[in-house]
Amino acid sequence: MKSILERTSIRQYTDKKLSDEDVKAILRAAFAAPSARDLRPWYFIVIRDEKKLEEISRFSPYASFLKEAAMGIVVCCDLSRNPRLDYCQQDCAAATQNMLIEAKERGIGTCWLGGYPNDERVVYLRDALQIEEPLMPLWAVSFGYPAVFGKVKDKWEDNVIRYL
């Protein structure tokens, strides 16, 4: 629970690389996510190449720090597994959250970078990573060892809870 409550978005990273073991553990956490009808429509593009990270750091005006990350993962949905984009997004969001938590457990910082439904960002990722249908790029996540730690916030709000 501590990793959930203390997770923050990290946008500055050290030069330290992620181990293959860390990468596999992060992906394993994604695969453990719940999925509608257990269709598991996720598809992950793992980017560790510095030139490719620099290229995809331009997919959004908020992604410039991706070029300094040790790794990026572009989360896609595979519409051949589930043609319902709305359910695919839910499944891929659950998988993404699992990756964020596993990374935090390992002392690795992350930041979730929105793509879909911004058509320009989706097209950029498709072109840069040669993503073809039935895959649909949804968003990217940066990973790396934090150079600066984000401030942990208590996000509890009683006023948005209704008990019956």
Side-chain angles (χ1 to χ4, degrees):
M1 186 68 160
K2 184 176 185 207
S3 291
I4 294 170
L5 296 175
E6 294 183 0
R7 193 212 60 78
T8 61
S9 292
I10 302 295
R11 294 176 178 86
Q12 292 179 309
Y13 302 102
T14 69
D15 297 1
K16 185 177 177 183
K17 301 297 181 196
L18 303 184
S19 72
D20 291 342
E21 177 186 325
D22 286 334
V23 175
K24 188 169 185 176
I26 288 166
L27 290 167
R28 185 172 293 281
F31 281 87
S35 171
R37 296 178 37 222
D38 198 30
L39 294 175
R40 294 172 275 159
W42 42 69
Y43 187 95
F44 305 106
I45 301 173
V46 178
I47 305 162
R48 296 170 93 176
D49 179 79
E50 290 178 11
K51 288 180 183 174
K52 195 51 84 170
L53 284 168
E54 203 278 316
E55 182 181 3
I56 66 161
S57 75
R58 296 187 298 268
F59 94 95
S60 161
Y62 309 103
S64 61
F65 56 87
L66 244 174
K67 64 183 171 239
E68 298 166 11
M71 176 177 77
I73 294 180
V74 173
V75 178
C76 302
C77 63
D78 183 343
L79 295 168
S80 70
R81 288 181 167 228
N82 187 348
R84 297 283 312 267
L85 184 57
D86 50 354
Y87 287 112
C88 287
Q89 286 181 83
Q90 292 174 36
D91 293 350
C92 290
T96 301
Q97 179 71 10
N98 280 10
M99 289 192 288
L100 300 179
I101 295 166
E102 179 60 27
K104 176 67 178 171
E105 287 280 318
R106 293 173 169 271
I108 298 166
T110 59
C111 189
W112 187 336
L113 299 152
Y116 181 85
N118 183 308
D119 289 334
E120 290 175 9
R121 294 178 191 178
V122 170
V123 168
Y124 187 95
L125 289 172
R126 274 193 190 283
D127 292 346
L129 300 173
Q130 300 174 5
I131 301 169
E132 297 182 8
E133 291 183 6
L135 298 180
M136 165 74 130
L138 295 174
W139 47 73
V141 181
S142 63
F143 295 83
Y145 288 94
V148 175
F149 290 88
K151 183 179 182 219
V152 175
K153 302 172 192 170
D154 181 355
K155 297 181 180 182
W156 182 265
E157 294 182 59
D158 284 322
N159 63 324
V160 296
I161 303 169
R162 180 177 171 200
Y163 297 97
L164 300 177

